Amino acid sequence: MGYTAPDPEQFSKMEQAFSYMSPLAAAQIALPAHLFSGPVTFIARAIYLKQANPGQIMQGAAHWLKCAEKYLAAAEALRTEAKSLSEDEWSGDDRKSFEEKAEKAAQQLETIAAFAMQVGISLFAIATMLSVMIPLMLAVATAQMAFAVFYLATKAIPPPVGPVVSENCRLIATTTGATCLTVINTIEAALKVAAQGLAAAIGGNMTISWAYMASRGNLVNPGDTIGSTGFSLLQGLAQMTVGNLMAPGRTGTGTIGKVSPKLDGIMAKGNPYLLGFTGVQGTYNTGMNIQGDVDPDAENKMTGAGVDLLGQDWIPNTFEDAARGNESDLNWNNEQPGDDAPGTGPGGVFVNKAVVDGDAATTTTTTNENDDEGGYRPPEWDGEAVSR
């Protein structure tokens, strides 16, 4: 029985539920952080920097695993087809050459599947940790908002009762916040170690996969993917930099603080505004999610163009399309169909295309010299054979 990947749709409800958790936590933590400061401000920083959706990440992971399933199925089908003819029906050097090329193609498919499976499992691991952290942050933010409301209500009571009760409320809020911050920091540290380890493993496996596929006859030029890779890297770094700059609770221990403590101090003075932005961003994202659930087909020109101002994504899709537009289509042997006949490579080489989830994977084999007409093609094969 072959490998079966999880259906991405099974995480749709989870994705919808988590789409509200991080924004609601951000919307609620702003006021308590203004009132209580201290550890509550650092909780606000953690919430702001962890505006993630584990359900969406798991959907992406499932798509990677589904990709692995398709490639493994293709490898199995290719081997089955390659051995479908008996030795009596077809033998000789051409048969041997065809089987060798088919096996190399199958091994390449399995290599791609292994890489896709590793990425999918890694994303599941990250999403699982976030699925614990984000509900915790929402619970902490909700509790802190309750403290803030009670604090403001009791502070309005005339002395001596009002000031005493409100101050006790502030002390409880900050003490509770310090305890919760310790737990959040512990999970965050574990998440960082896991993410760095998984990223290093994926990078190493990518290098190994490219080398192995090159040994199987599929030499991929890294320059062919530089558009996508470079754009994704620069976009991610830009968003991460802006996001870190906008995060409240600067301590002087970050990169900016080490390079220029004075600049870090100037930025720290804007902390109240950054806390306000955290709350505004959370409210905005919550509203956008509600709109999307109420009217999924509603047109939004900004998001339709690939721009999200409050999400620090200011690069439109037109720029992204241009960055990715020069990539060439690759097949297994970097051979394009020749002029001899449709579906053949240079010199009348047989080209058989196996479609894998919308992508054509091309394998090649020589024609059968034993056929006087120049090339034996079983009717079930998809492709054309011509004489040399």
Side-chain angles (χ1 to χ4, degrees):
M1 184 176 180
Y3 164 74
T4 302
D7 183 3
E9 283 302 311
Q10 76 183 69
F11 301 102
S12 59
K13 295 295 184 183
M14 180 181 179
E15 184 274 332
Q16 184 180 31
F18 272 101
S19 68
Y20 289 97
M21 290 188 183
S22 292
L24 285 173
Q28 291 186 94
I29 200 62
L31 177 61
H34 270 296
L35 296 176
F36 306 135
S37 64
V40 184
T41 299
F42 297 120
I43 291 175
R45 181 181 181 87
I47 289 175
Y48 171 80
L49 292 175
K50 291 294 180 291
Q51 290 292 296
N53 187 332
Q56 196 171 47
I57 296 174
M58 285 192 177
Q59 280 187 320
H63 279 292
W64 276 98
L65 295 180
K66 184 65 71 173
C67 176
E69 176 189 337
K70 296 291 184 181
Y71 275 101
L72 288 174
E76 183 179 354
L78 181 58
R79 287 194 174 100
T80 301
E81 281 296 315
K83 297 178 180 179
S84 60
L85 294 176
S86 66
E87 291 291 335
D88 293 335
E89 294 174 297
W90 186 24
S91 61
D93 292 340
D94 286 343
R95 170 68 180 260
K96 183 179 180 180
S97 176
F98 171 75
E99 289 182 345
E100 289 176 352
K101 288 181 178 291
E103 179 59 26
K104 286 183 178 180
Q107 290 172 356
Q108 292 177 53
L109 290 169
E110 289 174 337
T111 301
I112 296 172
F115 178 76
M117 194 174 296
Q118 182 191 22
V119 174
I121 293 173
S122 299
L123 289 175
F124 265 118
I126 296 297
T128 300
M129 298 181 72
L130 284 172
S131 67
V132 174
M133 185 176 189
I134 289 176
L136 172 63
M137 293 194 299
L138 176 59
V140 171
T142 303
Q144 289 294 325
M145 176 58 92
F147 282 131
V149 172
F150 186 77
Y151 172 81
L152 292 174
T154 55
K155 196 172 183 180
I157 299 174
V161 176
V164 173
V165 175
S166 61
E167 180 61 18
N168 284 328
C169 176
R170 188 189 68 80
L171 290 173
I172 294 172
T174 53
T175 302
T176 304
T179 302
C180 294
L181 180 61
T182 300
V183 177
I184 290 174
N185 285 342
T186 301
I187 300 176
E188 194 171 24
L191 182 63
K192 182 178 180 179
V193 171
Q196 290 176 340
L198 291 171
I202 290 173
N205 190 21
M206 179 182 292
T207 302
I208 294 172
S209 297
W210 278 11
Y212 180 78
M213 291 177 68
S215 71
R216 300 289 88 188
N218 184 21
L219 183 61
V220 177
N221 181 5
D224 292 325
T225 62
I226 195 63
S228 293
T229 305
F231 178 83
S232 298
L233 178 63
L234 291 176
Q235 185 183 34
L237 289 175
Q239 287 185 258
M240 182 181 69
T241 301
V242 174
N244 285 332
L245 289 175
M246 296 294 290
R250 310 199 68 83
T251 62
T253 58
T255 303
I256 295 178
K258 293 176 181 177
V259 174
S260 175
K262 185 176 181 180
L263 176 61
D264 190 83
I266 293 173
M267 297 179 65
K269 291 180 180 179
N271 194 59
Y273 303 101
L274 298 178
L275 286 172
F277 177 77
T278 299
V280 169
Q281 186 190 58
T283 303
Y284 165 80
N285 288 334
T286 301
M288 292 291 288
N289 289 331
I290 292 174
Q291 180 188 11
D293 288 338
V294 172
D295 189 2
D297 298 324
E299 182 180 2
N300 187 314
K301 292 183 178 180
M302 182 179 72
T303 56
V307 176
D308 184 2
L309 295 178
L310 292 184
Q312 291 98 41
D313 183 1
W314 304 318
I315 304 176
N317 286 342
T318 51
F319 183 85
E320 179 178 354
D321 294 340
R324 302 179 189 275
N326 294 326
E327 295 175 11
S328 61
D329 293 331
L330 300 175
N331 60 37
W332 292 112
N333 292 301
N334 266 346
E335 294 174 350
Q336 300 301 321
D339 297 331
D340 300 86
T344 64
V349 176
F350 177 83
V351 179
N352 182 41
K353 292 185 177 181
V355 177
V356 183
D357 198 21
D359 297 327
T362 306
T363 60
T364 63
T365 182
T366 55
T367 55
N368 189 353
E369 294 179 346
N370 296 327
D371 190 341
D372 293 335
E373 296 299 319
Y376 173 83
R377 182 178 76 89
E380 67 271 17
W381 288 4
D382 178 22
E384 294 188 21
V386 297
S387 59
R388 307 188 210 202

